[in-house]
Amino acid sequence: MSRRLAAAPAPSVRVRAPGKVNLSLRVGPLDDDGYHPVVSVFQAVALYEEVTATQVAPGAGVSLTVSGPQADRVPTDATNLAWRAAELLARHVGVDPDVALHVTKGVPVAGGMAGGSADAAAALVACDALWDLGVPRAELAALAAELGADVPFCLLGHTAVGTGRGDLLTPAMTRGEFHWAFATFDEGLSTPKVYGAFDDLTAGTAQAAALVDDTPLMQALRAGDAVALGAALHNDLQEPALSLRPALRRTLDVALEAGALGALVSGSGPTVAALARSRQHALAIAATWTAEGVADAVWTTTAPAHGARVVS
C-alpha cells in the first residue's frame, strides 16, 4: 500500500518589533515643506507586533491577514504599511514582491504608539530574511524612513533621540528597566489635526526644537532614575491633543492621583502613558483607570525593548 507524503510547509520567517512611547517630544515651527521639525526621545516598549512572512508561488504577489486585539481596525490591502514595506524592499533589490504576510497585533491601534510602523519594520526584516537578500541594516533603515518617521525607530528599538522628522536617530544610553501603564481609547486622534491645533495654539511663536531642554531627562535615563525621568517627561503636542480631546486631562489626573512618577499624552495621542515605580504599581495605575472609567483599555509593560528581530 502506497502512502502519500504530506507536503512540506512553505518556508516562513517570524519577526517581532516593538511599539514606542515618546519620553519627550519638542516641536518646531512649520517648515516651508509642510512638516514640523522635531526632537523626540523615543523608548521602545515590550508590546510587540509580530509579522510572519511566508513563501508563496511566483507571481502570487503580496497578501496580508491580521489577528489579535483590534485586528478588525487594521487594513489588509496595499494601504497597510507592512504590505508597502514588502513592495518597497522588492523594488529596491529588483525582485518580485511575492509573499504572504500575517500580522499579530500586540500594540494598541491608532494610539500614537507606532503599531503600524512596527509592522513595517518587522515586514522589512522578515522579507529580507525570507528572500535571502542580506540587505545591510543601514540600508533597511533608509528604506524604513521612506515608509514613515517612526519606522526607523521600530527597526532600532531601545532608546534613541530622533531629529528631523523624527527619523534621524542617535541611540541614547540608558540603565535599568522602566515600568509603564498605558490608557488607550477606541477613537483615535488625527495627527494632522493635532499638529494643526499646535499651530493654532502657538500662533507662530513655536521655537526651534532643541535637545538642550532635555538634559535632565537624558541624565535620568543614564542613571536609571525613574523618579527623575517621571519629572522630566515632556510633550509639546499634549496641550493641542487636550484641546481636541479634553477628557484626556482626567485620565492624566487619575494616573497622578494613583502615584504615577509622571504622566503624559504619548506623541499625538490619544494614548496616555504613566511611568510607575514597579510592575505592581503599573498594574495598580491601570486598575485605577479602569475603576474610574477614564480609558477604553489599559496595558502595562516594561521598557526599553529590543528593535525588530527574527524570532523564528
Side-chain angles (χ1 to χ4, degrees):
M1 186 175 73
S2 63
R3 177 180 295 175
R4 177 176 295 175
L5 296 176
S12 67
V13 176
R14 183 164 57 95
V15 172
R16 184 177 291 160
K20 58 85 179 172
V21 60
N22 295 79
L23 305 178
S24 174
L25 177 58
R26 299 188 183 274
V27 182
L30 189 65
D31 275 347
D32 293 339
D33 63 2
Y35 288 90
H36 294 79
V38 303
V39 174
S40 182
V41 183
F42 299 108
Q43 187 162 76
V45 299
L47 297 174
Y48 297 104
E49 299 283 283
E50 288 190 352
V51 174
T52 302
T54 302
Q55 183 175 303
V56 295
V62 180
S63 64
L64 188 143
T65 53
V66 184
S67 63
Q70 303 174 308
D72 59 320
R73 300 178 60 191
V74 180
T76 55
D77 57 16
T79 63
N80 186 291
L81 272 177
W83 184 307
R84 289 171 53 197
E87 291 188 328
L88 177 63
L89 179 62
R91 282 198 306 273
H92 179 71
V93 298
V95 302
D96 292 328
D98 297 326
V99 63
L101 299 174
H102 181 77
V103 175
T104 304
K105 297 294 299 174
V107 176
V109 175
M113 295 184 68
S117 296
D119 292 339
L124 285 173
V125 174
C127 290
D128 176 65
L130 182 72
W131 297 334
D132 197 23
L133 301 175
V135 176
R137 199 71 170 196
E139 213 169 304
L140 287 180
L143 294 174
E146 293 184 38
L147 293 162
D150 288 339
V151 182
F153 177 70
C154 295
L155 197 65
L156 177 67
H158 302 286
T159 306
V161 178
T163 56
R165 296 176 187 173
D167 58 321
L168 305 175
L169 299 174
T170 303
M173 288 180 59
T174 62
R175 179 176 295 167
E177 184 177 64
F178 298 97
H179 299 271
W180 290 94
F182 296 99
T184 62
F185 302 88
D186 293 339
E187 184 183 355
L189 266 176
S190 162
T191 298
K193 286 184 178 179
V194 173
Y195 274 97
F198 171 82
D199 293 333
D200 292 342
L201 289 171
T202 56
T205 62
Q207 302 298 306
L211 184 61
V212 65
D213 298 319
D214 285 319
T215 299
L217 185 144
M218 303 304 290
Q219 291 173 337
L221 287 171
R222 286 195 295 271
D225 187 337
V227 174
L229 179 61
L233 298 174
H234 178 83
N235 183 6
D236 279 348
L237 294 183
Q238 179 162 296
E239 288 304 319
L242 292 173
S243 72
L244 296 172
R245 191 75 62 80
L248 293 178
R249 197 175 298 278
R250 179 60 184 151
T251 308
L252 289 165
D253 289 344
V254 167
L256 296 172
E257 291 162 7
L261 301 176
L264 79 171
V265 174
S266 182
S268 59
T271 295
V272 170
L275 184 61
R277 294 186 301 271
S278 64
R279 177 180 178 274
Q280 291 75 16
H281 187 212
L283 290 168
I285 293 170
T288 304
W289 274 333
T290 300
E292 293 289 333
V294 293
D296 292 328
V298 295
W299 311 65
T300 62
T301 191
T302 57
H306 62 75
R309 67 181 186 187
V310 175
V311 291
S312 69

